Amino acid sequence: MTMTTILGAGGPIGNELAKILAAKNTPFRLVGRNPKPVAGAEVFAADRADLKQTIEAVAGSSIVHLLVGLKYDTSVWRELWPRIMANTIEACKRAQAKLLFFDNVYMYGRVNGPMTEQTPYAPCSRKGEIRAKIATTLMDEVKAGNLNAMIARSADFYGPDTQHGLPNVLVFEAFAKGSGASWLVNAAVPHSLTFTPDAARGVAMLAECDSAWNQVWHLPTAPAPPTGKEFIVMAARAFGVAPKFRVLSRPMLKVVGWFNPLVRESYEMLYQSDSPYLFDSTKFAREFGFAGTPYADGIRIAAGTYHKG
């Protein structure tokens, strides 16, 4: 039997992927610092920044999903991401396992037009530089013939049980509490968002497809993204409330960042919010026949997981 290992259990993508693997009766292992037991899963506690522990966690695997989410802090990313990537690559080589890396779009930087798998790396943030470095490290191993791997990229995401997704924090949580929503910088431009169950479904489909390996893929994300205002209107409809919202300006966020480390760390990424943010997953849709859950449906599903009041 093949073993699928998830490095970085407990996040929204890992949790959704675990459901898919359990439903298919695929043997799988959840690896984290303190992984929670899940029906049908083997659980393994390990620090992915430690080579020996990573090798032990990956041993016996045929497919490894690197879904690690680190604290949103540039200094932490700079120290740990290169080490985690190097450890995971070495562990997969020793186990002769395939490696799927779940990535974001920070390495593309500011893009004029749709982001595709061919978009060159031109990071304009410190976090983007780190992501470009580790993505290049991985695909260099593929080009050298040392490893079977792929990169599966997602846009910003939203969905059920997605506590750190910006739309969840700024829109769904606010409406659930009876207050007005917020949006970053500009609510009048379209902004692609990946529905987390779609991302996990896409990861599972890619991993099972032999011809998908050793490539970069954009995970299924519905086309024709809404503007911030349109997203908020759909969410308000789902919650049965008035679509009240405010736009958080750069100066406002700069001030908040003096007191809030997460907002301070997010400030360099605001270029993603001031102009159209268009994520193109046509390649996936063409290959697998799935273009992503329509926004109105995804918003309704996500909103349904919140308790009002």
Side-chain angles (χ1 to χ4, degrees), residues 155-156 158 172 190-195 198 220-227 230-231 234-235 238 277-279 291-302:
D156 290 343
Y158 77 103
F172 298 146
H191 194 104
S192 294
L193 292 156
T194 304
F195 187 52
D198 290 352
T221 300
T227 65
E230 289 166 347
F231 186 96
M234 285 188 274
Y277 172 99
L278 307 170
F279 182 86
T293 299
Y295 285 96
D297 296 340
I299 289 167
R300 190 170 59 250
I301 292 166

Side-chain angles (χ1 to χ4, degrees), residues 6-237:
I6 297 175
L7 297 178
I13 308 302
N15 289 343
E16 292 288 347
L17 183 57
K19 293 176 195 171
I20 292 169
L21 295 172
K24 292 184 174 183
N25 293 317
T26 300
F28 67 104
R29 180 183 300 153
L30 299 176
V31 179
R33 281 182 175 274
N34 300 290
K36 293 183 174 65
V38 171
E42 188 181 302
V43 174
F44 194 101
D47 177 1
R48 284 67 47 100
D50 181 283
L51 177 58
K52 182 172 180 289
Q53 291 183 42
T54 305
I55 289 168
E56 290 170 352
V58 166
S61 305
S62 50
I63 293 174
V64 173
H65 295 293
L66 181 54
L67 305 180
V68 171
L70 297 179
K71 181 183 178 184
Y72 204 69
D73 182 302
T74 300
S75 59
V76 172
W77 280 31
R78 189 176 289 125
E79 180 194 353
L80 293 184
W81 260 125
R83 196 189 312 168
I84 289 171
M85 180 58 77
N87 291 349
T88 306
I89 288 170
E90 179 60 27
C92 287
K93 286 180 182 177
R94 295 196 188 195
Q96 296 187 305
K98 295 177 178 177
L99 171 58
L100 185 150
F101 173 43
F102 185 92
D103 201 4
N104 61 28
V105 298
Y106 288 8
M107 72 297 305
Y108 295 149
R110 183 185 285 276
V111 180
N112 183 17
M115 293 174 270
T116 74
E117 291 86 350
Q118 280 72 48
T119 298
Y121 294 177
C124 58
S125 66
R126 293 167 301 164
K127 294 181 186 68
E129 289 167 1
I130 295 163
R131 301 299 293 216
K133 180 180 176 183
I134 61 174
T136 300
T137 296
L138 177 57
M139 295 314 285
D140 281 351
E141 292 284 345
V142 168
K143 287 172 189 168
N146 299 330
L147 186 71
N148 284 315
M150 76 170 85
I151 294 177
R153 290 208 166 102
S154 164
D156 290 343
F157 47 64
Y158 77 103
D161 304 315
T162 307
Q163 290 87 350
H164 301 301
L166 272 174
N168 287 67
V169 173
L170 297 179
V171 181
F172 298 146
E173 284 182 16
F175 283 157
K177 291 172 183 172
S179 54
S182 301
W183 200 260
L184 295 179
V185 187
N186 189 349
V189 291
H191 194 104
S192 294
L193 292 156
T194 304
F195 187 52
T196 45
D198 290 352
R201 180 179 168 189
V203 163
M205 292 167 82
L206 286 167
E208 290 176 353
C209 179
D210 289 341
S211 63
W213 288 94
N214 302 329
Q215 299 178 53
V216 174
W217 292 87
H218 280 185
L219 290 162
T221 300
T227 65
K229 182 179 180 180
E230 289 166 347
F231 186 96
I232 288 165
V233 167
M234 285 188 274
R237 193 176 298 135

